[in-house]
Amino acid sequence: MEYVRIGIVDDPHKDRRALLAWEPRQPPKEPARPHVRFQERHADGDDGRLVREFRREAARRDPAHLMAMAVFLWDRDREHGEIFADLAATGRVARSRLSGVSGLDVAERARHAFGQVPDLQRKVDQIMAHSQAVEAYLDKPEWARRQDPIALRGGETRYLAVCSDEDVPWRPVNVESSNAVQLDLEVPLPSRTVTTRLVVVGEPAEAKGWVLYAHGGASRAEECEAVAQALRVLPDGRDIVVVSPDLPGCGFGERVPCEEVGLDPKKRLPRNAEEHGPFPFLDHLDDFLGALVPAVRAGIPELDGKPLLAMCGGSLGGNLSLRAAWKGQLPARRYVAWSPASIWDPLDDPIGLKNMGPEVAYRMASDSELDPANRPEESSRRKYFFSTFEKNIPFTPKSADMWWDAHWPHREAWRAAARADRTEVYDELHRCYTWRYSYEQLFFSWQQEEAGVRRRLAIPKERPICLLAGTGDNFHFSHIFDRVQAVGLLREEMPAAERVVLMGRTGHSIHDERPRLLARELLAAIQVASGTS
């Protein structure tokens, strides 16, 4: 096994300027926000969503109805009317029905709702053109969006209405989108087919192979882009394609009710189980990724017959990479995991003192935190953002403050972008899935308890892995850096690890903080697998 320490100073008297220099990054786009008169307000701040008037109409997921609502407002309050016209194209379900709507449908709905409308045909034509322009805008890469007139007003970026509580958007709307190809792909699972969204970086026709990238918890497919672009800059990485899906419950893919895929967020995990499982939501992710590989080959014919060079990811994605290596469900040649979740000891003990974090995650996933006096997500939405971005658990920083190194210069900008991402896609199922992933990962573990109640998870040597961690990812309960370092020092058994890389001045999100270095390590793992190093 190779054990590599990059930019880590053991001797405090050494010159700390020898540490890694920060890799330059373009800060994320600052998203537009709805005007204050259209935005939900609370005593403790806003939660980034539209007022109930719009949510009520968006819940119908009917583009003809939404455009008819715009007719009444189009001349008297254009900005108000545009929100209804936006919603006809931004929601995944509404947009799927948009192509079947005609001007006659919209006009008839408007007459039925409002009676005789002056200059009706002109308004209908303008509103339909507006909704179709929004649909076309959402299908463009980010670089082409910057000057699109549908998203500009007076030289400033215009807010495009989205109502994820009622109809999750099918593409990023106000947050930064991908510069690469995006496509929807059907993934057949035993219970039903699920539609996910893929980001595909590279040229499949020219590829010698591809990499499957799994993003972190509550993140989205675009997470891969900095690493994928850095990989393409490397001479031997130009002909490698990176494929990154939105994982179930995350990003801009189809939202599938838990019960439709045989999942129950209310069911507690067994305590002190002798076997590692069942962990139904993590197992579902394993099955999803296992079914995704043949679906990618069928949906992107240019990749059919070309090898899956690596499975990779960080945090949740790192855990899934290790689980894929353990289970052998993917035909990957290498498995690369950085800052992997579940590298920690299981937060499970007979007394229960360690179970505060898992209990919070369970309650958020299982609806027990909801206020029965309100509509369910009226209360949980604020609790979700408070728990993630504002609340301090005893002896532990805010969740979002643990995602990047405390001294990374872009930390606050990416923290704000992460909040905007979740604001745009939050709904009941996003809450259920993402908190349940957290709950199960806190109990699932790659470590063996001293009491021996959990069996050791053995990753076969023929499925070699590369582990990476940063010195800034060493918080109270998880100690991810310490755990990965212990593997490198052979204090913890993980015989499949062929390379362990530790990075100084780096936190949990290595893909954000060190994409070039991570791309080099990913390419090195691929080359070893291919025998070209």
Side-chain angles (χ1 to χ4, degrees):
M1 183 200 310
E2 289 187 271
Y3 175 54
V4 182
R5 296 162 64 88
I6 302 174
I8 299 176
V9 175
D10 295 311
D11 183 349
H13 299 292
K14 287 184 178 179
D15 186 353
R16 291 191 176 272
R17 287 176 297 182
L19 294 172
L20 283 173
W22 298 114
E23 293 184 17
R25 286 296 305 277
Q26 183 74 19
K29 178 177 74 174
E30 184 175 348
R33 297 177 63 82
H35 190 279
V36 64
R37 67 188 175 116
F38 303 132
Q39 189 173 345
E40 189 77 50
R41 302 294 297 177
H42 297 276
D44 55 349
D46 69 80
D47 61 5
R49 62 176 170 172
L50 295 172
V51 295
R52 188 170 298 182
E53 171 198 357
F54 299 112
R55 303 203 305 274
R56 181 179 61 247
E57 305 304 337
R60 299 175 63 158
R61 301 179 175 186
D62 181 349
H65 170 76
L66 290 163
M67 286 189 281
M69 294 294 293
V71 166
F72 181 72
L73 297 158
W74 199 246
D75 285 346
R76 67 187 68 188
D77 188 346
R78 177 62 62 88
E79 189 175 2
H80 197 162
E82 282 177 344
I83 289 184
F84 285 113
D86 291 343
L87 292 173
T90 57
R92 176 168 281 275
V93 177
R95 178 260 176 185
S96 71
R97 299 168 176 170
L98 183 60
S99 61
V101 175
S102 70
L104 291 175
D105 297 326
V106 177
E108 181 60 31
R109 295 287 192 95
R111 289 192 195 97
H112 183 267
F114 308 115
Q116 292 300 315
V117 179
D119 210 3
L120 176 60
Q121 191 58 53
R122 173 184 61 82
K123 293 175 182 176
V124 168
D125 290 344
Q126 290 178 351
I127 290 165
M128 288 200 67
H130 179 99
S131 296
Q132 291 164 358
V134 171
E135 180 185 30
Y137 168 85
L138 295 182
D139 215 15
K140 294 179 179 179
E142 180 63 34
W143 63 266
R145 290 181 169 196
R146 298 299 174 105
Q147 299 300 319
D148 193 307
I150 198 66
L152 297 172
R153 176 179 281 115
E156 299 293 327
T157 303
R158 182 180 77 86
Y159 171 76
L160 296 174
V162 61
C163 191
S164 60
D165 303 75
E166 308 299 346
D167 194 2
V168 174
W170 62 286
R171 292 288 185 268
V173 181
N174 297 293
V175 296
E176 192 159 332
S177 188
S178 176
N179 278 309
V181 172
Q182 300 177 65
L183 56 92
D184 281 356
L185 184 73
E186 291 188 347
V187 182
L189 296 173
S191 53
R192 58 158 290 175
T193 296
V194 175
T195 301
T196 190
R197 180 188 65 119
L198 297 180
V199 167
V200 182
V201 184
E203 300 295 336
E206 302 171 5
K208 67 181 180 184
W210 59 291
V211 170
L212 179 58
Y213 185 112
H215 62 69
S219 186
R220 56 185 171 111
E222 277 87 354
E223 184 186 292
C224 76
E225 279 207 76
V227 176
Q229 294 297 346
L231 184 66
R232 289 182 60 75
V233 170
L234 300 171
D236 295 330
R238 292 172 186 163
D239 50 4
I240 296 174
V241 168
V242 176
V243 176
S244 178
D246 284 326
L247 296 176
C250 302
F252 299 85
E254 179 188 13
R255 292 283 199 271
V256 178
C258 300
E259 62 272 15
E260 292 188 17
V261 287
L263 300 173
D264 180 5
K266 293 182 171 62
K267 186 174 182 180
R268 287 187 177 272
L269 296 175
R271 300 294 305 280
N272 295 310
E274 293 193 6
E275 295 294 321
H276 265 278
F279 292 92
F281 280 72
L282 291 178
D283 291 338
H284 176 66
L285 287 175
D286 298 337
D287 294 341
F288 170 82
L289 292 171
L292 180 72
V293 171
V296 166
R297 288 178 168 151
I300 309 176
E302 296 90 344
L303 292 181
D304 190 24
K306 295 179 179 178
L308 178 58
L309 300 172
M311 161 79 184
C312 71
S315 195
L316 169 63
N319 192 14
L320 294 177
S321 297
L322 297 180
R323 288 173 62 88
W326 166 45
K327 291 187 172 183
Q329 289 178 295
L330 301 180
R333 294 181 178 178
R334 284 294 185 277
Y335 301 85
V336 181
W338 56 92
S339 315
S342 296
I343 197 78
W344 47 68
D345 287 332
L347 297 192
D348 187 8
D349 66 80
I351 301 175
L353 295 178
K354 297 195 298 183
N355 294 328
M356 287 189 297
E359 185 61 24
V360 168
Y362 170 78
R363 292 201 307 267
M364 288 296 293
S366 64
D367 292 352
S368 59
E369 284 287 279
L370 302 187
D371 181 356
N374 294 311
R375 291 180 65 201
E377 301 308 319
E378 296 282 333
S379 57
S380 79
R381 186 177 181 117
R382 282 299 301 154
K383 289 181 179 178
Y384 176 92
F385 287 100
F386 181 71
S387 299
T388 305
F389 294 95
E390 300 166 26
K391 181 179 180 180
N392 277 322
I393 300 172
F395 313 112
T396 304
K398 302 178 187 70
S399 296
D401 286 348
M402 294 189 283
W403 296 343
W404 301 277
D405 184 78
H407 303 291
W408 188 45
H410 305 299
R411 182 175 184 235
E412 288 307 311
W414 284 91
R415 187 178 186 276
R419 183 165 189 152
D421 281 353
R422 287 148 181 81
T423 297
E424 185 148 296
V425 300
Y426 177 90
D427 72 340
E428 177 186 358
L429 293 176
H430 180 77
R431 170 181 57 77
C432 287
Y433 277 93
T434 56
W435 280 105
R436 182 70 189 208
Y437 296 152
S438 298
Y439 171 60
E440 295 191 7
Q441 287 189 122
L442 291 170
F443 284 111
F444 179 77
S445 174
W446 294 97
Q447 305 294 327
Q448 184 182 33
E449 293 264 63
E450 292 182 7
V453 296
R454 294 177 181 270
R455 63 183 173 86
R456 187 178 298 281
L457 293 167
I459 297 176
K461 291 183 179 179
E462 62 268 20
R463 300 175 200 146
I465 62 175
C466 173
L467 287 173
L468 303 97
T471 53
D473 193 15
N474 216 28
F475 294 97
H476 172 62
F477 79 92
S478 58
H479 297 287
I480 290 177
F481 174 80
D482 286 345
R483 295 301 189 187
V484 173
Q485 180 175 236
V487 174
L489 295 174
L490 302 180
R491 293 174 185 159
E492 296 286 354
E493 288 190 24
M494 197 169 279
E498 62 180 9
R499 184 170 171 87
V500 174
V501 180
L502 305 176
M503 303 178 186
R505 295 186 74 196
T506 307
H508 187 68
S509 300
I510 299 175
H511 51 275
D512 286 335
E513 300 171 63
R514 308 282 183 202
R516 295 179 185 175
L517 183 55
L518 187 52
R520 289 197 294 270
E521 290 297 329
L522 178 59
L523 181 59
I526 290 170
Q527 289 175 329
V528 168
S530 304
T532 59
S533 60

